[in-house]
Amino acid sequence: MEEGQEWSDEELVDTVIYHQTLRPLFDMLGVCRLPWIELGLNEKRYENFYRYVTGKSVTLEELLMRSNDIYDHFLRFYMKIAPSSQRSAFSLKRKMR
């Protein structure tokens, strides 16, 4: 986040939300986040990885939409089972959309 020190609050919030959406993508594809986080692998490459494995071409935007659906599904599930004292942190994303 050193490079984000000069970012506005809105840019920081957008970055956090983007990463929340991106995280389920790695889980969905069964890949490690290490190459992306530590080695700076461009997330656009995951389009190719998906195509290599499935034979289907999709854009990163389509993969992120699916990833966001998974995140939203998890969030709905969690909101049903979590104690009310823990729910406020997870409802923050909804308010920012």
Side-chain angles (χ1 to χ4, degrees):
M1 279 310 253
E2 288 177 12
E3 68 183 48
Q5 289 178 357
E6 301 297 320
W7 293 357
S8 69
D9 289 345
E10 186 173 326
E11 290 171 315
L12 290 171
V13 168
D14 289 343
T15 300
V16 168
I17 291 172
Y18 177 74
H19 288 116
Q20 285 178 334
T21 301
L22 191 61
R23 181 172 293 211
L25 174 64
F26 297 114
D27 297 336
M28 179 176 74
L29 298 176
V31 297
C32 179
R33 290 184 284 269
L34 176 71
W36 174 69
I37 295 170
E38 297 295 328
L39 306 177
L41 184 68
N42 187 324
E43 60 263 23
K44 294 285 277 177
R45 290 210 168 188
Y46 291 95
E47 293 175 13
N48 294 333
F49 298 157
Y50 187 85
R51 188 178 74 246
Y52 298 151
V53 172
T54 66
K56 298 177 182 179
S57 294
V58 294
T59 65
L60 178 61
E61 290 73 26
E62 290 171 313
L63 289 173
L64 288 174
M65 284 178 19
R66 293 176 188 173
S67 181
N68 192 56
D69 290 345
I70 291 169
Y71 180 83
D72 287 345
H73 179 74
F74 166 78
L75 189 58
R76 282 191 299 275
F77 176 76
Y78 183 79
M79 295 297 281
K80 286 187 177 190
I81 65 167
S84 61
S85 62
Q86 295 177 2
R87 292 181 186 171
S88 61
F90 283 93
S91 62
L92 184 61
K93 180 181 179 197
R94 288 275 171 229
K95 292 178 184 174
M96 287 188 265
R97 282 187 172 180

